[in-house]
Amino acid sequence: MDKSLEKQLAGWLRLQKGACGPYLKLSMTLGVANGVALVVQAWLLATMLQGLIIDNLPRQQFIPYFIGFAVLIFVRGALAWGRERAGFAAGRRLRSTLRAAVLDKLGRLGPAWVNGKPAGAWASIVLEQIEDLQDFYGRYLPQMTLAGFIPLIILCCTFPLNWAAGLILLTTAPLIPLFMILVGMGAADANRKNFSALQQLSGHFMDRLKALSTLKLFYRAAAEEKAIAKASEDFRERTMTVLRLAFLSSAVLEFFAAVSIAVVAVYFGFSYLGELNFGHYGVPISLFSGMFILIMAPEFYQPLRDLGTHYHAKAQAIGAAESLMALLEAPEPLNQGHEMLTGSLLSIEARDLQVFSMDGKPLVGPLSFSMRAGEKLALVGPSGAGKTSLLNALLGFLPYQGSLKVNGIELHQIAPASWRQQLAWLGQNPQLFQGSVADNVRLGQPELDDAALWTLLERAKVADFVRAQPAGLAHIVQEFSGGLSVGQAQRIALARALARNAELYLLDEPSASLDSQNEQWVLDALWQAMQQRSCLMVTHRLDQLDRMDRILVLDHGKLVQQGNFAELSQQPGLLATMLAQLPLALSLDDVEIAGGVQA
């Protein structure tokens, strides 16, 4: 990984620690308090050994020391427990806050952005990668503080007793973080590649699982099984690389810590034997000073060793942060305006409007059109003409340039919640969620009571189906509309759209996947609901055009014709060409399939 990118990601991670609340500082404070208690405990033990073994003092004199030593054992245990609890709470708060931020960001970016990655990749970001930040905030950041404070406290206690031992500790201490950095240099990049492989595997697996029936139908199951196996093997190899680095790092840290402690022990051993006579400020080395420093020597290196143990948490967090930072800092299609829409009717005016993809590729325009309040507009054109892109721009899911005004207010100046409150959207693929029928219809309208729900279901011509279910409104809709036919799912989605009582209906081929009976039910309910309301509908159905006030004909992102059905059907142009291909009752989809119109 590029060092500048790694530094940027590490800085971004540190900026997020405010979401941990007071728990992160509490964890650090408890850790430092535990270090101070350790020094006091070492002093008590060394004092008792000096008095009992060397000075031959009576045991009764050291009873308070022994009680204090025993109490500190429980105090240190309580401090360690409290530190772990506080660290976990810090990580949990961070994960909860960050997960909410990610979901809110995805909601603001909209489906045009979300559809750019497989569902499994988003699941990996929301679940796996955010979860892997726990140890960075719960353990690594607190340990960074302890690795600075506790060795400093021990050095302050060591140098007044023996400068040679203090110098040994001070000289050997940098070896541990130095080799930790050297070993861990590739850890962040390895983790980043590991997360990338996990996203690829998750997205690949979930997409193939959803399309399993289609794959079997076209005899592609074996080929996709091999592709999943290849992605799994790639993920396994990258995981083993990460683990190899983690084990190597731990082994190196343990080795240098053991060598450093051994050097301190050898110094005191030879000093007691009279072979070394320096470091004690002219005062003979006592059992107290030797035991006190030797007891603290392992604890001097322990925070650094623990930091090395948790260093992989930093590498793991940096690997996870790349996708998270890119997502959370992604530009949103609409600026978060503050203007509120007023009035009960909506009018739209577009001038030199250009719609772009999220990566800046032009999709539609420039084009100019207007829609009066209460007017019904149809968007017609071959596939790829830009009809759905224009709808996404109106929904606020794609960026645009030029002018797009609603009731005279530029769209990006309107508060998104105020604008979308006026909208009802219905597409050709019903989006129902696992839960009851009532939950799906109430989505966004929690105040609806059961009587209102039945009225909406009656209007959508699906009440008879719901009544036939033993649970009625509590009938469970499975994931991906499981247990429902396409027509039933579309009519439940229609009931949800009708609950909006919106001023503008945005319809993206709402009857494209329905049989003739379901299509008639859906369209009848829509026409009844849209009386005195505005409507912009993408359609390929020719028999619906004469019911619209005006038609906008798009081709390759350009507005090539506009007018009412009577005018355009008689004028030379794309619509007349399309109409001439088939009888009026057939669809434009059939025209494209027949080769009469090129997408």
Side-chain angles (χ1 to χ4, degrees):
M1 179 184 291
D2 182 72
K3 289 301 176 184
S4 60
L5 175 59
E6 183 175 350
K7 185 176 180 180
Q8 182 183 3
L9 294 174
W12 182 84
L13 285 169
R14 293 180 185 278
L15 289 176
Q16 311 306 313
K17 65 182 182 181
C20 298
Y23 296 104
L24 186 59
K25 292 182 179 179
L26 178 61
S27 177
M28 296 175 180
T29 302
L30 292 174
V32 173
N34 197 1
V36 173
L38 164 69
V39 173
V40 175
Q41 199 174 30
W43 180 84
L44 290 173
L45 182 58
T47 301
M48 286 189 292
L49 291 175
Q50 172 71 27
L52 293 172
I53 298 174
I54 303 300
D55 299 336
N56 291 319
L57 298 175
R59 297 180 181 178
Q60 292 79 4
Q61 184 175 338
F62 295 97
I63 291 178
Y65 291 83
F66 181 79
I67 294 174
F69 181 83
V71 169
L72 283 176
I73 293 177
F74 294 100
V75 169
R76 289 189 62 203
L79 289 173
W81 177 83
R83 179 195 160 200
E84 287 293 323
R85 294 289 297 176
F88 179 80
R92 181 179 59 193
R93 282 194 59 168
L94 182 282
R95 287 183 286 120
S96 177
T97 300
L98 201 57
R99 189 169 284 122
V102 166
L103 294 176
D104 289 344
K105 183 71 174 185
L106 289 175
R108 293 195 300 271
L109 289 171
W113 174 279
V114 174
N115 289 337
K117 282 187 178 182
W122 293 120
S124 174
I125 291 175
V126 174
L127 299 176
E128 301 282 350
Q129 292 182 226
I130 291 180
E131 198 69 25
D132 283 329
L133 299 179
Q134 169 69 39
D135 283 349
F136 178 77
Y137 293 95
R139 296 180 183 273
Y140 180 78
L141 286 183
Q143 194 61 42
M144 282 282 290
T145 301
L146 300 184
F149 274 97
I150 293 180
L152 183 60
I153 292 171
I154 293 176
L155 282 177
C156 291
C157 296
T158 301
F159 268 106
L161 295 175
N162 191 293
W163 62 263
L167 193 61
I168 293 173
L169 296 178
L170 185 61
T171 304
T172 56
L175 292 176
I176 293 179
L178 175 62
F179 282 93
M180 177 178 68
I181 292 171
L182 291 176
V183 173
M185 282 179 65
D189 189 47
N191 275 280
R192 182 180 63 84
K193 292 178 180 178
N194 189 50
F195 282 122
S196 176
L198 177 59
Q199 285 186 31
Q200 181 181 2
L201 176 61
S202 299
H204 195 92
F205 179 75
M206 184 171 287
D207 285 353
R208 270 55 182 181
L209 190 63
K210 289 167 61 177
L212 188 58
S213 300
T214 305
L215 292 173
K216 287 185 175 180
L217 183 64
F218 289 94
Y219 301 101
R220 294 292 302 171
E224 293 302 328
E225 183 180 353
K226 292 179 180 178
I228 292 175
K230 183 178 182 299
S232 300
E233 179 63 19
D234 183 46
F235 177 64
R236 185 195 67 80
E237 291 178 355
R238 295 185 187 278
T239 301
M240 290 299 105
T241 300
V242 172
L243 291 175
R244 187 162 56 246
L245 287 170
F247 289 138
L248 178 61
S249 175
S250 298
V252 168
L253 297 179
E254 292 295 332
F255 173 76
F256 282 102
V259 169
S260 301
I261 294 170
V263 171
V264 176
V266 167
Y267 163 74
F268 278 107
F270 278 99
S271 295
Y272 286 132
L273 293 174
E275 300 295 331
L276 298 177
N277 189 27
F278 62 87
H280 44 73
Y281 303 107
V283 178
I285 296 179
S286 65
L287 180 63
F288 168 81
S289 60
M291 290 300 299
F292 180 63
I293 294 174
L294 284 173
I295 291 171
M296 289 195 301
E299 303 299 334
F300 176 83
Y301 297 106
Q302 190 61 46
L304 297 172
R305 294 161 67 188
D306 289 342
L307 182 63
T309 302
H310 300 318
Y311 187 76
H312 74 281
K314 177 188 176 183
Q316 193 175 40
I318 288 177
E322 185 175 19
S323 298
L324 289 170
M325 186 178 74
L327 171 61
L328 293 174
E329 295 184 357
E332 297 177 15
L334 285 183
N335 296 325
Q336 298 300 303
H338 302 287
E339 295 281 347
M340 305 298 291
L341 284 175
T342 58
S344 58
L345 297 177
L346 294 179
S347 63
I348 296 176
E349 184 177 7
R351 289 290 178 267
D352 299 322
L353 175 66
Q354 286 184 285
V355 180
F356 296 88
S357 67
M358 299 304 296
D359 57 1
K361 179 182 177 182
L363 300 175
V364 179
L367 50 85
S368 299
F369 67 92
S370 62
M371 185 176 73
R372 300 183 301 273
E375 191 175 19
K376 314 293 188 295
L377 287 187
L379 285 176
V380 174
S383 296
K387 305 180 295 295
T388 301
S389 297
L390 181 56
L391 282 188
N392 278 325
L394 281 168
L395 287 164
F397 297 146
L398 286 177
Y400 72 88
Q401 292 180 2
S403 176
L404 181 58
K405 293 184 177 180
V406 179
N407 285 0
I409 306 173
E410 196 63 44
L411 181 58
H412 62 71
Q413 296 177 354
I414 301 173
S418 175
W419 168 231
R420 291 169 184 162
Q421 191 174 8
Q422 310 294 325
L423 305 178
W425 179 87
L426 187 64
Q428 56 183 308
N429 297 312
Q431 300 294 322
L432 300 183
F433 304 94
Q434 185 169 5
S436 67
V437 172
D439 291 338
N440 273 278
V441 178
R442 280 197 183 104
L443 189 67
Q445 307 285 327
E447 70 279 1
L448 294 175
D449 58 18
D450 287 355
L453 293 182
W454 283 115
T455 301
L456 292 168
L457 293 173
E458 290 282 1
R459 292 171 61 188
K461 301 292 193 263
V462 74
D464 289 344
F465 165 76
V466 178
R467 285 195 184 96
Q469 308 307 312
L473 290 174
H475 176 68
I476 297 298
V477 177
Q478 302 298 327
E479 193 173 4
F480 306 120
S481 303
L484 300 176
S485 69
V486 175
Q488 291 162 348
Q490 184 72 316
R491 281 179 282 147
I492 292 175
L494 172 60
R496 182 172 61 200
L498 296 177
R500 304 279 303 168
N501 194 27
E503 295 297 329
L504 173 61
Y505 283 78
L506 297 177
L507 311 175
D508 189 0
E509 303 188 60
S511 61
S513 303
L514 305 180
D515 58 41
S516 58
Q517 182 62 68
N518 278 293
E519 178 184 18
Q520 192 62 45
W521 284 338
V522 168
L523 292 177
D524 287 347
L526 281 172
W527 288 118
Q528 183 179 1
M530 291 188 304
Q531 294 179 8
Q532 308 302 319
R533 305 295 170 92
S534 303
C535 168
L536 185 60
M537 180 168 67
V538 172
T539 181
H540 280 117
R541 303 298 301 185
L542 301 183
D543 54 353
Q544 299 170 10
L545 298 182
D546 58 349
R547 305 175 72 173
M548 309 300 290
D549 296 323
R550 281 193 302 133
I551 302 169
L552 306 179
V553 184
L554 297 180
D555 188 21
H556 294 96
K558 306 294 184 182
L559 182 58
V560 295
Q561 288 181 288
Q562 58 178 313
N564 60 43
F565 179 75
E567 295 171 350
L568 296 182
S569 62
Q570 301 300 320
Q571 294 176 1
L574 179 59
L575 182 62
T577 302
M578 298 167 85
L579 290 170
Q581 299 297 318
L582 291 175
L584 188 61
L586 297 181
S587 75
L588 298 187
D589 279 329
D590 298 326
V591 177
E592 294 174 16
I593 294 172
V597 178
Q598 296 298 321

